[in-house]
Amino acid sequence: MSHNEQIIAGSAKHPIVPQHYRYGTAGFRMKADLLEGVTYRVGLLAALRSRKLNSQAIGVMITASHNPAIDNGVKIVDPMGDMLEQEWERYATALVNAPSDKDLAKIYNALATDLKIDLEAPAKVIYGRDTRPSGHTLVTALADALDATNTEHVDYKILTTPQLHYLVRATNSEGTPASYGEVSEVGYYKKLAEAFVRTMKGKRIPQVLQVDCANGVGGPKLKEFLKHIPQDKVPFAVQVVNDDVLRPEVLNLDSGADYVKTKQRAPPIPKPQPGLRCCSLDGDADRLIYYWHDPETNVFVMLDGDRISSLAASFIGDLVESAGLRDELRIGVVQTAYANGASTHYITQHLKLPVICTPTGVKHLHHVAQGFDVGVYFEANGHGTVLFSLDAINAFKKTTPQSPAQKEALDTLAALTDLINQTVGDAISDMLLVEVILAHKNWNLRDWALTYQDLPNRLVRVEVANKDVFRTTDAERRLSHPEGCQAEIDQEVKKFKDARSFARASGTENAMRVYAEAATRSEANELAERVAGIVSRWGV
Ligand code: NG1
Ligand code: ZN
């Protein structure tokens, strides 16, 4: 069979359900039964992408993250382990929307011609999936696309999303001076465990940490990771809960980082215990939220992505200062409009670091963070990481220390570049980072929470007939369209003290999101309701 015939035959085995698909912030994500044909077509695109980029390995991750168990999703990972280049999202959308198998082959060939891709060049795609049962079928469709296009492929089976990102980068840097680590899941654990012990410097955290894994892939993977810390060097006690991956229906159910962040309370199971340090991962282990029920004040305290971001920025900023590199390296923090105003104020006024606001979606944050030598980026929902430039890594490793304190700071910074996932937000790596910082500062969660006080806020979802009439500007903080709508929002915001509110169309759901913050909880609620009302009226 010719290439074309193979592509068409494979597509006939994995038919597309006709409807309009769009490669969004999370790749293609929807009910799993719509995704078989989509995944086949994503396989074709991944093969093209590998051939376009000198046969480097491309990743494909099959997951729907924090969404319900019946959903699934598929997204492409670029050679350095970052998200698919934005320009190519259009090509993904075009391929997936091809009306027939023959059109699919035509679009595939047209893309190859337009992008000057040699279809005879070698190509490599590696892939993994979360614990969703539908992952099996999708992986089969993906493998068929890779076979049809004569693409070498490796199935890494069940992984967390950040593990797949790690493996893509490790594969492409293997044997080079920039080697990212051993090309295996075990290599990932070994790298993290070694860096964790190295950054802890013999410090111990006496209190237990309960980790809720949303009954997703993070549970088994975290337990596997813990086995790689040498027995005599384990600095903390972890209690893994909600790690049932055998009953798919409980995935993300009343648990996980998204539950805690949106409901602003602890998962009901296990029964919350005052004073216990807790954190939650999401279903594919790329988001992290800390929390505890303070036994002294009897208040539930949530430490979200903004908190992790400001904690990391403060710790790393101090280390860079002690390492004598403050004038040499540019440190910055990247947030979205959903970041609590109090965190932005703390970072700019107290830590004296610049903050840049980008549109929602980690690809935007990641990109801007790459412009700093130390770029800290987190979405409020707990997805983020810290990126170090080559200059920063070299400075940490090559500066000759003039004092023991400077040496200590340089060593810790160098270890952090190995501990922190450089490809994408990683809940396990972020959790280790938080533990390291708390141990170094000798802080409990109350100390951490006391750094600033969150402004009360409220996020509401508004269903409208047509969300496409809403267009934003200024990193999604203002509406440019429909004309007149923003002026009405401004009128309402003016009536409240220390208030801020904005509306934008969700990139992952068919709805508008309205965010409001104000000096008190009731005012934040009231403002959110009023702005939601405005959005409803304009969205008809
Ligand atoms: P949308 O649906 O575009 O608001 C949501 C999250 C994002 C991001 C994406 C991808 C909020 C308010 N929005 O995007 O931060 O994580 O999903 O998963 O949390
Ligand atoms: Zn996720």
Side-chain angles (χ1 to χ4, degrees), residues 29 65-66 161 282-287 383:
R29 189 180 289 182
S65 184
H66 57 281
T161 294
D282 73 337
D284 63 338
D286 60 1
R287 289 192 192 182
H383 189 171

Side-chain angles (χ1 to χ4, degrees), residues 29 66 287 338 360 379 381 459 504 506-509 513:
R29 189 180 289 182
H66 57 281
R287 289 192 192 182
Y338 292 106
T360 304
E379 288 194 307
N381 61 31
L459 180 63
R504 58 174 276 279
S506 160
T508 60
E509 287 175 48
R513 294 198 204 287

Side-chain angles (χ1 to χ4, degrees), residues 118-154:
D118 174 7
L119 290 175
E120 300 304 321
K124 182 166 186 174
V125 172
I126 72 173
Y127 52 94
R129 61 188 162 89
D130 69 15
T131 52
R132 289 176 165 80
S134 56
H136 283 287
T137 317
L138 303 185
V139 158
T140 308
L142 179 68
D144 282 352
L146 300 173
D147 286 335
T149 51
N150 212 4
T151 302
E152 181 192 343
H153 51 97
V154 185

Side-chain angles (χ1 to χ4, degrees), residues 68-80:
I70 49 161
D71 290 2
N72 214 329
V74 51
K75 58 184 169 190
I76 297 180
V77 180
D78 262 356
M80 286 294 279

Side-chain angles (χ1 to χ4, degrees), residues 324-360:
L325 295 169
R326 196 62 187 246
D327 294 334
E328 240 171 86
L329 301 178
R330 289 177 322 115
I331 309 177
V333 177
V334 190
Q335 303 184 317
T336 72
Y338 292 106
N340 195 282
S343 76
T344 316
H345 187 261
Y346 173 78
I347 296 164
T348 53
Q349 303 306 309
H350 185 84
L351 303 180
K352 308 259 185 259
L353 294 173
V355 173
I356 298 182
C357 181
T358 74
T360 304

Side-chain angles (χ1 to χ4, degrees), residues 339-461:
N340 195 282
S343 76
T344 316
H345 187 261
Y346 173 78
I347 296 164
T348 53
Q349 303 306 309
H350 185 84
L351 303 180
K352 308 259 185 259
L353 294 173
V355 173
I356 298 182
C357 181
T358 74
T360 304
V362 276
K363 66 181 174 205
H364 300 294
L365 291 103
H366 187 94
H367 184 74
V368 172
Q370 282 175 323
F372 290 103
D373 289 307
V374 180
V376 181
Y377 77 84
F378 275 86
E379 288 194 307
N381 61 31
H383 189 171
T385 191
V386 183
L387 299 180
F388 298 99
S389 71
L390 213 54
D391 284 349
I393 295 173
N394 283 335
F396 302 157
K397 292 191 176 148
K398 296 192 179 144
T399 304
T400 314
Q402 309 295 320
S403 69
Q406 192 185 4
K407 179 176 180 343
E408 163 110 10
L410 288 166
D411 288 347
T412 308
L413 285 166
L416 285 177
T417 65
D418 288 326
L419 180 68
I420 304 173
N421 196 320
Q422 294 298 287
T423 63
V424 78
D426 180 335
I428 296 180
S429 156
D430 288 337
M431 181 188 90
L432 300 174
L433 171 65
V434 169
E435 294 298 302
V436 163
I437 301 177
L438 296 178
H440 276 257
K441 287 185 179 276
N442 200 11
W443 275 7
N444 60 21
L445 298 193
R446 183 186 299 124
D447 300 319
W448 180 11
L450 282 175
T451 48
Y452 62 83
Q453 195 172 8
D454 272 320
L455 280 169
N457 60 88
R458 172 93 188 278
L459 180 63
V460 287
R461 192 176 174 279

